[in-house]
Amino acid sequence: TQLLEQSPQFLSIQEGENLTVYCNSSSVFSSLQWYRQEPGEGPVLLVTVVTGGEVKKLKRLTFQFGDARKDSSLHITAAQPGDTGLYLCAGANAGNNRKLIWGLGTSLAVNP
Amino acid sequence: EPEVTQTPSHQVTQMGQEVILRCVPISNHLYFYWYRQILGQKVEFLVSFYNNEISEKSEIFDDQFSVERPDGSNFTLKIRSTKLEDSAMYFCASRTESATNSPLHFGNGTRLTVT
């Protein structure tokens, strides 16, 4: 069974701080997606990483896919209260991208 | 921007009753999905649907579950005889193609409470 473990589970920081959250697995994924979910809403896709070692930037968010395509990280620079939410990673397998394997998420609170 | 819409936002039902959760995917999307998220647990894949048939289903999606796209617009999930453990958020999602880099768009979910 493929699993994705996210850490930390909860993170509370002050506005302006930097942070990194992690998504790890013992399995290889063909791609990995990061989503943000706010209370009462569905997950919203932030980015998809496909190539081992790939780095993608979305304003103050930097996503990296591990060289072995088993792990990923999300780094946020100068966090803002609007970054508050649940960050989920989800992995897809080559040959079957119908079914995403999800992590439990990191719940981030950025305090003003 | 087009959205996936789900109704109702919250459904309360008694154990053993049938429920139908409704979704209107984005109009030019071809691939449709149901996921569920039990409170405090991971998002779980239930079923994928393409070309009017199920393309894959998980172990969760047993004989009590069915999906339908009756009119080319709505995509429904039916649970025939609900159990307490069916209480969860149910998310519908859709995308234009099955390729991994085709974004999956989620609705805001239906919170199902089985009492």
Side-chain angles (χ1 to χ4, degrees):
Chain A
T1 303
Q2 290 184 299
L3 292 173
L4 277 169
E5 301 293 337
Q6 289 191 247
S7 59
Q9 194 173 344
F10 300 98
L11 187 57
S12 179
I13 61 170
Q14 293 302 120
E15 183 176 359
E17 291 183 10
N18 302 332
L19 67 118
T20 302
V21 299
Y22 301 92
C23 175
N24 295 308
S25 177
S26 57
S27 306
V28 174
F29 289 95
S30 64
S31 67
L32 210 135
Q33 300 176 358
W34 284 92
Y35 291 81
R36 190 170 90 190
Q37 185 180 19
E38 300 193 30
E41 298 183 10
V44 175
L45 180 66
L46 297 173
V47 79
T48 301
V49 285
V50 179
T51 308
E54 182 177 6
V55 176
K56 281 194 174 175
K57 291 195 179 210
L58 192 66
K59 295 183 183 175
R60 293 175 294 100
L61 278 59
T62 302
F63 304 85
Q64 182 159 12
F65 202 12
D67 291 340
R69 288 186 287 128
K70 292 182 180 180
D71 51 75
S72 181
S73 63
L74 158 59
H75 181 80
I76 302 179
T77 305
Q80 297 175 2
D83 296 327
T84 294
L86 180 66
Y87 288 84
L88 294 161
C89 67
N93 286 316
N96 181 359
N97 54 20
R98 292 183 292 269
K99 181 169 91 169
L100 290 174
I101 309 294
W102 294 78
L104 192 52
T106 292
S107 180
L108 172 65
V110 182
N111 306 303
Chain B
E1 189 175 319
E3 292 181 337
V4 175
T5 55
Q6 290 186 243
T7 54
S9 56
H10 193 181
Q11 172 97 44
V12 181
T13 189
Q14 288 192 322
M15 198 166 53
Q17 295 296 305
E18 174 183 285
V19 293
I20 297 177
L21 310 183
R22 300 180 194 280
C23 170
V24 180
I26 295 174
S27 61
N28 64 336
H29 286 189
L30 301 175
Y31 296 82
F32 313 110
Y33 306 81
W34 282 100
Y35 287 85
R36 80 170 184 193
Q37 187 177 29
I38 295 172
L39 187 64
Q41 297 186 24
K42 295 181 180 182
V43 175
E44 299 172 293
F45 168 79
L46 292 178
V47 66
S48 59
F49 191 87
Y50 169 70
N51 200 27
N52 274 324
E53 58 183 29
I54 290 173
S55 26
E56 185 167 3
K57 57 185 181 180
S58 72
E59 295 154 357
I60 303 166
F61 195 90
D62 62 22
D63 292 344
Q64 294 301 312
F65 290 85
S66 62
V67 288
E68 202 175 36
R69 189 161 156 80
D71 56 13
S73 171
N74 292 284
F75 178 50
T76 61
L77 174 69
K78 182 194 289 186
I79 309 175
R80 284 192 190 81
S81 177
T82 49
K83 308 188 202 73
L84 294 176
E85 54 264 37
D86 293 328
S87 295
M89 281 291 288
Y90 287 81
F91 291 104
C92 171
S94 69
R95 58 185 174 185
T96 52
E97 39 182 286
S98 65
T100 303
N101 58 1
S102 171
L104 199 57
H105 294 258
F106 283 82
N108 284 338
T110 292
R111 180 175 298 284
L112 176 65
T113 303
V114 182
T115 61

